[in-house]
Amino acid sequence: MGRMSQAARRILPALVLLCLAFNGVQAQERQSEATPQRWTETQANAWYAGQPWPVGADFLPSTAINELEMWQADTFDEKTIDRELGWAEGIGMNTMRVFLHNQLWEQDPEEFKKRIDIFLAIAARHHIRPIFVLFDSCWDPYPKLGPQHPPIPGVHNSGWVQAPGAAVLEDPSQYPKLEQYVKGVVGAFANDPRILAWDIWNEPDNGNMGSYSKEEPRDKDEMVLKLLPQVFAWARNVHPTQPLTSGVWRGDWTSLDAMPPMARVQIEQSDVITFHDYGWPEHFEKSVHELEQFHRPLICTEYMARGNGSTFDTILPIAQKYRVGAINWGLVAGKSQTYLPWDSWKRPYVVEQPPIWFHDVFHPDGTPYREREVEIIRDLTSGKQAPL
């Protein structure tokens, strides 16, 4: 090689900078292509405009105590699922919120996908498109595969289990397994029109408020707060055609700055906004107005606790008025015992029964708990107006 000329020496630094800049732009473009972005407001609202008004329930078949018992091969109860979704269809419900679990994927991914596909086929026959929940911070922090314990007499939701559970949450070396689960499940059904949406994490900052005797992991909130954005990214990386969300459920929602850190992440990452509200109708309407500031579709994924002031006759007409999706907790009274109130954790209803059911719509034989309630649901979902 000959000696470099003086002119070339002057030009070289500029060429180096130009190449670096060009490579940087290319890297940015590759990263943008590799990591899909949150839906824009326009995309989210266009999607929602094409959907029927979402009305349904958080679904667990009456023969299962938790999501593990619902989905495991030995206890996957197709007949009960079919029968109970038929009752939901009969009153005009068109969606169900259904919880999955990472341990089911780890046990046998292919068989788990087959059972999800069977469930989706049953739901589709009843014109129901579910929202699938990937993770959950509520109730027992130590889930185990295999036979589940029987219901604790007189206790609300006595066998529900968290996902991923304390042992995994406290061990970052196991997070790659969670990534495989998220990408595997969402990726397998990313283009499936039978699914309405993906709920990334149920109540991620729920510390269970003493409702379960087993000790929660130390710094649970901090661990979940770091993990939650990663889970959203894992799901987005498999390019689902359905929106992603995680429902806010507590704190000040008047602005992003006022929100607790977890709620802010949930709002900022969600394509459509979901929330929980078990309060009186005035509180529900206030929640709707506070969340309207984000200019995205709204779906309430948990409501209806009769003893708490949240009922079908007061809440559902408000949801219809603002076209807010409405998913109440519980469809059929069963092993979850969610017809019992929350205070049963401290005072089990063993001898004395509560004066009214807390959650749920039907008795195990399909008889409505209250005929007037199913009339209201049927009227509103058919387009009829009910008095506010």
Side-chain angles (χ1 to χ4, degrees), residues 7-62:
R9 285 197 299 271
R10 285 198 302 267
I11 294 171
L12 183 61
L15 290 173
V16 170
L17 289 173
L18 184 61
C19 289
L20 289 173
F22 178 72
N23 288 336
V25 168
Q26 283 190 316
Q28 258 188 338
E29 288 176 349
R30 284 194 299 270
Q31 185 176 11
S32 178
E33 290 172 2
T35 308
Q37 300 300 304
R38 178 197 192 198
W39 286 9
T40 65
E41 292 175 16
T42 301
Q43 288 173 309
N45 288 308
W47 170 83
Y48 196 60
Q51 310 302 321
W53 176 40
V55 176
D58 285 86
F59 179 72
L60 183 72
S62 59

Side-chain angles (χ1 to χ4, degrees), residues 102-292:
N102 57 289
Q103 288 188 356
L104 297 160
W105 174 267
E106 293 163 16
Q107 182 185 48
D108 192 330
E110 293 307 314
E111 288 302 313
F112 186 32
K113 286 190 291 186
K114 287 179 183 177
R115 290 192 289 276
I116 292 174
D117 187 65
I118 291 169
F119 177 85
L120 287 169
I122 295 170
R125 287 203 300 268
H126 296 292
H127 306 99
I128 287 171
R129 297 166 65 212
I131 297 174
F132 281 133
V133 185
L134 298 176
F135 293 114
D136 184 7
S137 286
C138 295
W139 311 118
D140 187 349
Y142 297 98
K144 293 181 181 178
L145 293 169
Q148 303 297 296
H149 69 74
I152 299 171
V155 176
H156 172 108
N157 222 2
S158 63
W160 198 262
V161 291
Q162 295 185 32
V168 174
L169 194 59
E170 293 180 302
D171 182 5
S173 70
Q174 297 195 55
Y175 289 3
K177 291 194 299 184
L178 300 182
E179 181 177 1
Q180 291 169 10
Y181 158 62
V182 172
K183 290 182 175 179
V185 169
V186 179
F189 299 96
N191 297 299
D192 198 320
R194 297 174 297 178
I195 296 172
L196 183 65
W198 299 95
D199 191 334
I200 296 299
W201 204 306
N202 178 62
E203 297 189 358
D205 51 348
N206 194 326
N208 288 306
M209 301 170 286
S211 59
Y212 208 89
S213 58
K214 296 182 181 179
E215 186 178 349
E216 291 279 12
R218 184 178 297 178
D219 302 325
K220 175 184 172 183
D221 276 8
E222 287 77 7
M223 289 184 285
V224 176
L225 185 61
K226 291 179 182 178
L227 188 55
L228 182 58
Q230 296 180 57
V231 181
F232 268 100
W234 297 336
R236 283 209 167 90
N237 277 332
V238 292
H239 304 278
T241 55
Q242 312 93 348
L244 308 181
T245 189
S246 177
V248 294
W249 69 288
R250 65 174 182 144
D252 185 342
W253 301 345
T254 55
S255 70
L256 274 177
D257 291 338
M259 286 184 173
M262 195 80 75
R264 181 166 183 166
V265 170
Q266 291 173 279
I267 292 292
E268 290 179 332
Q269 292 284 336
S270 291
D271 299 317
V272 299
I273 304 299
T274 54
F275 67 102
H276 298 173
D277 193 308
Y278 286 110
W280 290 85
E282 295 84 358
H283 189 275
F284 183 89
E285 192 163 20
K286 177 175 177 287
S287 296
V288 170
H289 289 318
E290 288 176 346
L291 295 172
E292 283 177 330

Side-chain angles (χ1 to χ4, degrees), residues 58 139 156-157 278 302-308 310 312 328-333 336-342 356-362 369 373:
D58 285 86
W139 311 118
H156 172 108
N157 222 2
Y278 286 110
E302 288 188 28
Y303 82 102
M304 212 289 289
R306 296 178 184 91
N308 218 45
S310 178
F312 287 116
N328 68 278
W329 188 274
L331 184 67
V332 181
S336 68
Q337 301 181 156
T338 54
Y339 58 88
L340 299 170
W342 292 322
I356 59 172
W357 277 15
F358 200 65
H359 297 315
D360 300 322
V361 181
F362 294 101
Y369 169 64
E373 289 182 340

